[in-house]
Amino acid sequence: MSKPLNARHVSEAKAAGLRLISRDPDYPNSMIYECTHCEQYVRIRVETVRKLAEYNGSKTYDCESCKLLAYEQQAAEAGLEILGSGNDTHYLHYRFIECGHHQEITKASVKKRQFICQTCLTDKLEAEANRRSLTIIGKGSNPNYRLYRNTICKHQYELVTSSVRRA
């Protein structure tokens, strides 16, 4: 029979925004807690919860399930769908609902809605260049520039994309 839960651990969990469920039989320095928001069970080291409790409720456990739910809501509001993890923790792989293209975008950019479908942008810039007898052959010296080749005389230019659009 396992030992009863320590009252100190129970109060520390509450102060950290968690509910203590049980001891972890596999890891003696960890306990099983429940997130009070999403009700998911999480294994967390006791000292981690203790440090959070020391902030007297001003800092609570950052639940991964809760964060994922928030990311999914932000994505849906921005016209995106999460497909999976990105190359690092700052990115997620998204699908644009409107056009169906896939792209890695930072979570912060989605939250602030500061992103654009790069595939659609490239298609738009190529169509604008073709109308002016130009072909995009590379990136420019900054994000507003592209390297173009004239399809008639084969000369190359670095031009601002908006100039090609308005020409």
Side-chain angles (χ1 to χ4, degrees):
M1 184 138 184
S2 66
K3 296 190 310 187
L5 297 175
N6 182 323
R8 179 180 178 192
H9 292 157
V10 173
S11 66
E12 289 171 347
K14 187 175 182 179
L18 298 165
R19 189 167 70 89
L20 180 58
I21 301 299
S22 67
R23 298 180 185 283
D24 190 327
D26 300 326
Y27 298 92
N29 294 332
S30 297
M31 300 270 195
I32 304 297
Y33 298 89
E34 178 184 51
C35 174
T36 56
H37 301 288
C38 68
E39 300 178 350
Q40 291 288 319
Y41 287 7
V42 186
R43 174 189 297 138
I44 310 171
R45 293 182 57 85
V46 172
E47 56 266 20
T48 301
V49 174
R50 184 166 291 142
K51 284 182 182 177
L52 289 171
E54 289 172 0
Y55 287 100
N56 294 322
S58 66
K59 192 171 185 182
T60 59
Y61 180 71
D62 209 8
C63 174
E64 291 299 319
S65 292
C66 290
K67 286 195 289 188
L68 183 58
L69 289 172
Y71 297 146
E72 287 172 346
Q73 182 180 351
Q74 291 166 1
E77 290 170 357
L80 301 168
E81 177 184 58
I82 296 175
L83 299 177
S85 300
N87 284 336
D88 69 35
T89 58
H90 299 288
Y91 288 82
L92 287 173
H93 195 83
Y94 296 91
R95 183 179 72 82
F96 288 83
I97 303 291
E98 188 175 314
C99 64
H101 295 125
H102 300 210
Q103 182 175 316
E104 269 195 358
I105 308 171
T106 64
K107 297 169 192 173
S109 295
V110 172
K111 184 176 183 177
K112 295 175 187 175
R113 297 200 184 163
Q114 296 175 334
F115 61 89
I116 188 168
C117 175
Q118 292 301 312
T119 305
C120 289
L121 175 64
T122 300
D123 292 347
K124 175 185 169 190
L125 294 176
E126 287 174 352
E128 291 169 354
N130 288 338
R131 283 194 294 263
R132 307 290 179 245
S133 299
L134 299 170
T135 303
I136 297 176
I137 57 173
K139 293 184 177 185
S141 58
N142 79 44
N144 296 323
Y145 285 77
R146 297 291 185 281
L147 190 58
Y148 294 90
R149 176 180 290 128
N150 187 306
T151 56
I152 298 167
C153 67
K154 309 298 183 210
H155 288 111
Q156 293 183 9
Y157 316 97
E158 183 180 43
L159 302 169
V160 179
T161 57
S162 61
S163 295
V164 173
R165 182 178 307 120
R166 292 189 311 249

